[in-house]
Amino acid sequence: MTSVIEVRELHDWPTTESEAVSIQERLRSLVRTDEQPAEVRTAAGLDVDYRESSDELVAAVTVLDVATLSLVDSAAVRGRAEFPYVPGLFAFREAPALLKALQELRVVPDVLVCDGHGLAHPRRCGLACHLGVLTDLPSIGVGKTAMGHYEPPAEPRGSWSPVTMDGEEVGRALRTQTGVKPVFVSIGHRYTLDDACDLVLDLAPKYRLPETTRSADHLSRRS
């Protein structure tokens, strides 16, 4: 079956930290932050589950209808992390398997919602940026923990505060549920921060995490 998602071969997969850093610095120049899809009907959640005490993993992608949050398509791929765990270079462990899972989809999602960060990254090129640039699909990052400095947002749902690194706003701490810990939203590629936060709120009507992340997490754990 021919994949409906094309992955651009913009780099070889690195074997050293210095090679990985160089790739991130090069990809950063390709990230676009002033676009918004004309219509967002479907959103893909991406998540990776590591098998206990090993580098074996399952990369899962679930595509949801944004209006109903019903499942449209899904794919899961077993693999092995070939790159060591290094802070700031997480994409090189997870992106290869996630890209394979994306290529098994039968539909092209309007946006990728990554379980991780985008511009909220020391080199402004986290997992959401990396996957967005390689697929040229709109993408955002929704992290569970902060990368950068922030002040807690107000308690009501929808409240947010800026996340900064080196004096630059790189994302937002967004309260998706009143009185619940915020999530950390950042641009990946071909999106704006305002629209990314609006989308995350649409995808998280009941729980802290967006349904895209929750559904991909469930699939990766049971695959």
Side-chain angles (χ1 to χ4, degrees):
M1 181 183 69
T2 302
S3 174
V4 297
I5 293 178
E6 179 182 354
V7 176
R8 301 191 288 178
E9 296 183 3
L10 299 180
H11 64 79
D12 294 327
W13 292 105
T15 58
T16 67
E17 291 183 32
S18 60
E19 290 173 346
V21 168
S22 177
I23 289 169
Q24 287 181 332
E25 291 173 343
R26 182 157 47 87
L27 292 183
R28 170 64 187 96
S29 66
L30 302 178
V31 172
R32 286 154 34 205
T33 61
D34 57 354
E35 293 187 26
Q36 165 68 10
E39 187 174 15
V40 180
R41 294 168 297 179
T42 57
L46 297 88
D47 188 63
V48 171
D49 180 63
Y50 289 89
R51 295 325 193 211
E52 189 174 357
S53 302
S54 77
D55 286 331
E56 293 183 6
L57 54 81
V58 176
V61 180
T62 54
V63 182
L64 304 187
D65 181 297
V66 172
T68 65
L69 300 181
S70 58
L71 184 67
V72 174
D73 196 5
S74 65
V77 169
R78 288 181 174 270
R80 177 177 292 275
E82 302 291 343
F83 197 85
Y85 173 75
V86 180
L89 300 178
F90 203 57
F92 297 98
R93 285 179 66 80
E94 299 196 345
L98 286 169
L99 290 168
K100 289 179 181 177
L102 282 167
Q103 290 185 298
E104 290 196 0
L105 294 176
R106 295 160 294 177
V107 301
V108 179
D110 294 319
V111 59
L112 308 181
V113 181
C114 300
D115 179 27
H117 299 283
L119 292 180
H121 180 275
R123 285 171 292 281
R124 311 299 188 264
C125 191
L127 178 65
C129 295
H130 207 132
L131 292 175
V133 168
L134 290 187
T135 60
D136 203 30
L137 292 174
S139 62
I140 66 173
V142 183
K144 302 182 187 75
T145 58
M147 187 172 282
H149 174 76
Y150 75 101
E151 297 295 333
E155 291 296 315
R157 167 179 159 86
S159 301
W160 61 269
S161 60
V163 176
T164 61
M165 299 182 78
D166 306 316
E168 175 187 0
E169 183 180 23
V170 294
R172 289 178 183 169
L174 176 66
R175 196 86 69 179
T176 55
Q177 301 299 324
T178 298
V180 174
K181 290 190 300 183
V183 296
F184 301 93
V185 181
S186 56
I187 297 169
H189 183 54
R190 297 178 58 194
Y191 232 84
T192 67
L193 191 52
D194 283 341
D195 290 317
C197 289
D198 289 344
L199 176 63
V200 171
L201 288 173
D202 287 343
L203 295 172
K206 295 181 180 179
Y207 302 102
R208 178 191 178 219
L209 296 178
E211 289 301 313
T212 40
T213 300
R214 286 168 45 82
S215 61
D217 174 71
H218 293 161
L219 177 59
S220 68
R221 290 176 185 274
R222 68 173 187 261
S223 297

